Amino acid sequence: MSLLLQLILNGILVGAIYAVASAGYALTFSLNLNNFSYGSTMMLGGYVSYVVLPRLHCSVLANVLVLVLIGLLAGSLTYWGAVKPFIKTKFSVIPATLALSVITGNVVFMLQGSDSFSIRKYFSAPKIISAHGVVMTDTRLCLLIAALSIVVIIGLILRYTNLGLKLRAYADDETAALTMGISTKNILWYSCMISCVAGVLAGFLIAFDFDLEPFSGTGLLIKVYTATVIGGAYYLTRVAVAAILIGVIENLVAGYLASEYSLASVFIFLTLILLFKKQGLGKQGLIRAV
Amino acid sequence: MDFLINILELFGIYAIVTIGLNYQIGNVGIMYLGQIAYFAIGAYASGVCPVILKAAPIPSMIIGVLISLSLAYASGKIFVRLSGHYLLIASLGITEIVRSLINNSVVTGGAQGITITGNFFGQNFFAAKHEMVFLVFACLLLEIWFFASLKNSPKGRLFAALKEDETLVRIMGNDPIKLKIQAMMITAAWSSVAGSLFAHYSLYIDPTSFTINESLLLYIGILIGGLASLKGSFFAAFVLIIIPVVLRFVQLPGSIVSAAHQLFFAFLILFILKFYPNGLFSNNYGTHTK
């Protein structure tokens, strides 16, 4: 019983980090833009933290500031390098962003080699909190809170700012947004930037707890993409719930079967959802939470 | 000479897959990337059947095709109602599920892979490598003839119509769902044949050859080659097989050699997509601009 609880708890933690990433991905996905370099952007977030943190004397706040800058930069690079030149052709954005992903992965590979990296070692050993046979560390608790608050912040940006309103209008109906006098010229750029900031922050959170390597982008992307598809992209809360579910399922499968099946189990979950709701969980009834 | 023949064989095998995939995406308009799963099934059928069923190579190949056909039918039944992104992610899921099943099953040798016993030209025919090239190109020619005649057959015209307008096909009294499943099954069969040939070509197979990355590479290959074009399919196989070989002759320091190859590939993709948005050899049949 305590194993089950422990696995679910771990799953919720991982899922919350996926939720941050998926919330960012859903931003561009709902604008009909598939940014396949997103996984590498997440990995980049982890790598930058790995390089920068010791030089900042492990100040997390300063690192977050650096990461936000990197995220804005990565978003702009994605938009101007791999989205804008190719957006006119229907099928071109996916290969272009994949190419960008390959470039990011290999540049980090040249700098770092194939070794995995994690920022766990920069911090002192975490304090262990245990109750009813379920173990939790204080780092993980902080991660969970941080992840959930980033999701909430993205939600607030979408709900209450002018930019968020524009984004939602554009996602709803591009032409209608144009006719209502919303300048849609740079909307994709802004959404890319916000999404990439969420991506690098998610990468930073992942690097706290797991080992990353230069090519772990694809695996991350697949999970984030699946969560976004299951959540239906238009509803941030549903995307977050889907991401947490994916984290839990992954952990349960890894705990009771074998960790190799975890990605496959995510896909089987996706298949089951798509069998009954072919639009994922999105777009039916309820008030939009975004 | 041996080296050249090896490369030609691999080129032929990949061309068999890309032609099928290109027909399915370019001519029928189904964004289904499960080909690598069938490729893996074909390869493993050729590897496993001679061991456990004592089957000869040709019957093993046919068993592989039959398994692929049934998997294509089943997954088609489930996924055919999806479209666009949903179908894409679901098809990547099939690839991953098949790969992790192979990776964890005892019969297939798990992660260690399996050595292929027996070849098409008798048990102890050591020079069989050179005969492989004829076999591969015979299959390739057969496939080209098959798809060329399919294109001009009533069924082929229905497939082409399906890409343009699904409702129209329905009005004409045909079931689009059934047609889509048939198209998926046709390409699955050819991918499986290519997989069997690949197994006999490399004489040793392991699950690392059948990952999601491979699927995405094939997809990028046909996109930059040109959809619905034979030359485009050949170009895809050329890019994926020949260019890495050519780059091997460029002397680079050992540590960055693989990264440099991938970077070259990524920039090539971006370049081609920028200047030939519909692919290098697009015949402008159904242009893909929005």
Side-chain angles (χ1 to χ4, degrees):
Chain A
M1 192 61 200
S2 66
L3 176 65
L4 181 69
L5 279 177
Q6 182 71 54
L7 288 174
I8 290 177
L9 194 66
N10 291 355
I12 288 173
L13 174 82
V14 181
I17 299 176
Y18 290 159
V20 175
S22 311
Y25 194 80
L27 264 180
T28 51
F29 189 86
S30 62
L31 304 182
N32 223 343
L33 171 69
N34 267 307
N35 178 7
F36 270 39
S37 69
Y38 195 72
S40 290
T41 310
M42 287 167 71
M43 182 277 300
L44 188 70
Y47 180 68
V48 168
S49 317
Y50 174 77
V51 174
V52 161
L53 262 177
R55 296 186 184 134
L56 296 173
H57 308 289
C58 294
S59 155
V60 172
L61 201 65
N63 184 47
V64 167
L65 283 178
V66 171
L67 282 182
V68 169
L69 280 179
I70 293 281
L72 293 175
L73 212 69
S76 308
L77 189 72
T78 310
Y79 179 70
W80 294 107
V83 175
K84 185 80 187 0
F86 308 105
I87 194 88
K88 283 212 167 60
T89 332
K90 196 175 162 194
F91 290 129
S92 291
V93 173
I94 291 181
T97 45
L98 264 175
L100 186 68
S101 163
V102 171
I103 293 171
T104 319
N106 280 293
V107 167
V108 173
F109 175 77
M110 280 183 177
L111 296 171
Q112 160 75 16
S114 57
D115 309 338
S116 60
F117 46 86
S118 157
I119 56 177
R120 198 187 306 126
K121 61 178 181 187
Y122 297 145
F123 298 93
S124 51
K127 213 165 66 193
I128 292 168
I129 311 159
S130 71
H132 306 292
V134 180
V135 180
M136 182 84 170
T137 62
D138 55 349
T139 326
R140 295 190 136 197
L141 205 61
C142 292
L143 284 185
L144 188 62
I145 294 165
L148 291 178
S149 45
I150 294 174
V151 176
V152 171
I153 289 170
I154 295 174
L156 290 178
I157 289 177
L158 282 175
R159 191 81 188 81
Y160 292 109
T161 63
N162 198 7
L163 177 64
L165 189 67
K166 281 183 187 172
L167 279 176
R168 283 185 291 143
Y170 190 88
D172 239 11
D173 192 331
E174 197 181 323
T175 326
L178 260 173
T179 49
M180 295 309 285
I182 294 170
S183 164
T184 55
K185 203 174 149 203
N186 287 329
I187 288 283
L188 280 177
W189 181 24
Y190 300 144
S191 76
C192 268
M193 287 203 294
I194 302 178
S195 131
C196 283
V197 168
V200 290
L201 288 177
F204 170 52
L205 296 181
I206 289 177
F208 256 108
D209 221 26
F210 298 94
D211 291 338
L212 287 171
E213 44 186 288
F215 300 112
S216 42
T218 318
L220 292 173
L221 173 75
I222 295 286
K223 282 168 200 161
V224 168
Y225 191 71
T226 314
T228 313
V229 167
I230 292 176
Y234 291 89
Y235 303 86
L236 212 51
T237 41
R238 292 183 192 186
V239 171
V241 168
I244 290 176
L245 271 179
I246 283 179
V248 171
I249 288 173
E250 202 182 63
N251 264 283
L252 286 179
V253 170
Y256 285 112
L257 278 172
S259 59
E260 287 98 15
Y261 283 121
S262 62
L263 196 55
S265 68
V266 169
F267 280 119
I268 290 170
F269 176 57
L270 171 79
T271 309
L272 289 178
I273 297 266
L274 289 181
L275 262 183
F276 297 109
K277 300 199 166 197
K278 64 174 185 169
Q279 294 281 319
L281 300 173
K283 280 240 164 170
Q284 299 112 345
L286 285 179
I287 312 151
R288 279 168 64 129
V290 180
Chain B
M1 196 60 198
D2 272 6
F3 177 69
L4 267 180
I5 287 175
N6 273 346
I7 300 301
L8 263 182
E9 281 167 8
L10 201 55
F11 171 75
I13 290 167
Y14 266 72
I16 294 176
V17 185
T18 49
I19 289 172
L21 184 66
N22 204 342
Y23 184 80
Q24 184 202 286
I25 294 181
N27 292 55
V28 196
I30 308 173
M31 284 279 292
Y32 185 76
L33 303 182
Q35 264 63 26
I36 286 293
Y38 308 126
F39 190 72
I41 289 173
Y44 271 93
S46 281
V48 171
C49 290
V51 177
I52 56 167
L53 297 178
K54 304 271 179 284
I58 302 272
S60 314
M61 191 170 175
I62 292 169
I63 291 173
V65 170
L66 289 178
I67 299 174
S68 296
L69 282 176
S70 36
L71 180 66
Y73 181 77
S75 61
K77 272 276 180 208
I78 297 173
F79 294 131
V80 79
R81 283 175 186 79
L82 308 174
S83 60
H85 310 321
Y86 299 99
L87 189 56
L88 185 89
I89 188 78
S91 63
L92 292 181
I94 292 286
T95 315
E96 175 60 23
I97 290 168
V98 168
R99 193 198 67 85
S100 55
L101 282 178
I102 288 173
N103 202 10
N104 290 289
S105 138
V106 184
V107 190
T108 56
Q112 268 101 47
I114 189 168
T115 314
I116 311 298
T117 53
N119 60 46
F120 285 102
F121 309 97
Q123 277 300 331
N124 295 313
F125 201 88
F126 285 110
K129 277 247 132 180
H130 291 292
E131 268 75 7
M132 265 304 280
V133 74
F134 294 112
L135 187 66
V136 167
F137 277 85
C139 281
L140 185 60
L141 285 178
L142 187 68
E143 190 193 19
I144 292 171
W145 171 80
F146 175 83
F147 279 115
S149 48
L150 180 65
K151 257 177 228 170
N152 293 321
S153 69
K155 181 122 289 180
R157 297 211 182 92
L158 271 180
F159 282 151
L162 195 61
K163 188 189 166 203
E164 299 302 327
D165 197 334
E166 214 170 288
T167 326
L168 215 61
V169 175
R170 200 187 289 275
I171 289 171
M172 277 158 41
N174 297 288
D175 186 2
I177 305 278
K178 218 169 162 183
L179 281 172
K180 279 186 181 177
I181 295 178
Q182 283 168 358
M184 282 168 162
M185 286 168 72
I186 290 170
T187 50
W190 280 109
S191 302
S192 175
V193 169
S196 295
L197 292 174
F198 177 74
H200 283 279
Y201 158 79
S202 68
L203 295 177
Y204 165 78
I205 44 176
D206 65 0
T208 51
S209 322
F210 312 108
T211 56
I212 289 176
N213 276 335
E214 293 287 321
S215 306
L216 290 174
L217 278 180
L218 284 176
Y219 176 57
I220 293 180
I222 63 162
L223 277 184
I224 61 178
L227 288 179
S229 115
L230 186 63
K231 278 186 213 153
S233 313
F234 277 123
F235 181 76
F238 176 80
V239 163
L240 294 178
I241 301 303
I242 310 279
I243 287 188
V245 173
V246 174
L247 283 175
R248 210 182 291 163
F249 289 109
V250 184
Q251 295 295 320
L252 283 169
S255 58
I256 61 158
V257 66
S258 72
H261 290 179
Q262 292 198 26
L263 283 178
F264 175 80
F265 189 55
F267 282 112
L268 182 75
I269 292 167
L270 288 177
F271 175 79
I272 292 178
L273 283 176
K274 180 66 199 150
F275 294 104
Y276 303 88
N278 287 325
L280 269 182
F281 298 101
S282 169
N283 51 12
N284 287 327
Y285 161 74
T287 43
H288 298 287
T289 38
K290 260 181 198 168

